[in-house]
Each structure stands twice: as structure tokens, then as C-alpha cells.
């Protein structure tokens, strides 16, 4: 399954678009709320992430997420979960 998933997510070098939605800030005090808009990112290389996922290695998934995938996204790197839909 993991090999098929990597093939689908990498999509012959085109990658897969990931959507980033800001967290609900309704519980944050008014002066601390930020206007964070929706963003997308095209991820071309999913091999390491899927390998870590298949191994059930959450720490490796964190490393790949922070070091490879979201390195240039700033506050968008903090997410509650990652969903694969391929």
C-alpha cells in the first residue's frame, strides 16, 4: 500500500497539493488573534513521509514535516493531523 501511495502522491514528479487552513481562533483573546488566511502548497516528494507513516514512526513524520515539507511556511507548520487522500 505504501508504494502505491507514494506513487499517487508524487504523481510523476508533479506532486500533490496540500491545503492549510488556519486554526479556529475564537477562543483566543481579541488582541492576540491573527488574520491567517488559507494557503496551499504543492508537495512533490512524499517518499520519506509515507515511509515513516507505514512504519508507524510519529517522530520521523514530525521530522519530515518540519524539515522537508513545511520548512518555509512559518506558523502553518503547526497542525493537529495529516490526512492522505490519494
Amino acid at each position: 500500500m505504501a508504494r502505491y501511495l507514494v506513487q499517487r502522491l508524487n504523481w510523476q514528479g508533479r506532486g500533490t497539493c496540500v491545503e492549510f487552513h488556519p486554526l479556529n481562533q475564537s477562543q483566543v483573546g481579541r488582541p492576540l488573534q491573527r488574520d491567517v488566511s488559507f494557503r496551499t502548497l504543492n508537495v512533490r516528494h512524499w517518499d520519506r513521509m509515507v515511509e515513516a507513516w507505514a512504519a508507524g514512526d510519529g517522530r520521523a513524520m514530525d521530522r519530515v514535516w518540519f524539515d522537508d515539507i513545511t520548512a518555509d511556511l512559518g506558523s502553518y507548520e503547526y497542525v493537529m493531523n495529516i490526512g492522505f487522500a490519494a
Side-chain angles (χ1 to χ4, degrees), residues 8-66:
R8 293 273 299 162
L9 291 169
N10 286 344
W11 196 37
Q12 299 175 345
R14 293 183 198 107
T16 299
C17 185
V18 177
E19 296 179 349
F20 294 85
H21 298 267
L23 294 173
N24 179 350
Q25 296 188 30
S26 63
Q27 300 298 316
V28 177
R30 194 60 138 162
L32 300 176
Q33 288 183 4
R34 297 183 309 137
D35 183 24
V36 183
S37 61
F38 164 83
R39 271 187 81 179
T40 62
L41 171 70
N42 193 46
V43 179
R44 297 186 187 278
H45 303 287
W46 288 93
D47 306 66
R48 290 182 56 211
M49 178 61 83
V50 173
E51 180 181 304
W53 169 76
D57 188 343
R59 286 188 179 170
M61 289 178 72
D62 283 346
R63 282 192 304 275
V64 173
W65 185 254
F66 288 111

Side-chain angles (χ1 to χ4, degrees), residues 50-83:
V50 173
E51 180 181 304
W53 169 76
D57 188 343
R59 286 188 179 170
M61 289 178 72
D62 283 346
R63 282 192 304 275
V64 173
W65 185 254
F66 288 111
D67 297 344
D68 296 350
I69 295 177
T70 63
D72 299 323
L73 287 179
S75 63
Y76 284 88
E77 69 188 11
Y78 298 101
V79 298
M80 296 299 294
N81 59 53
I82 302 169

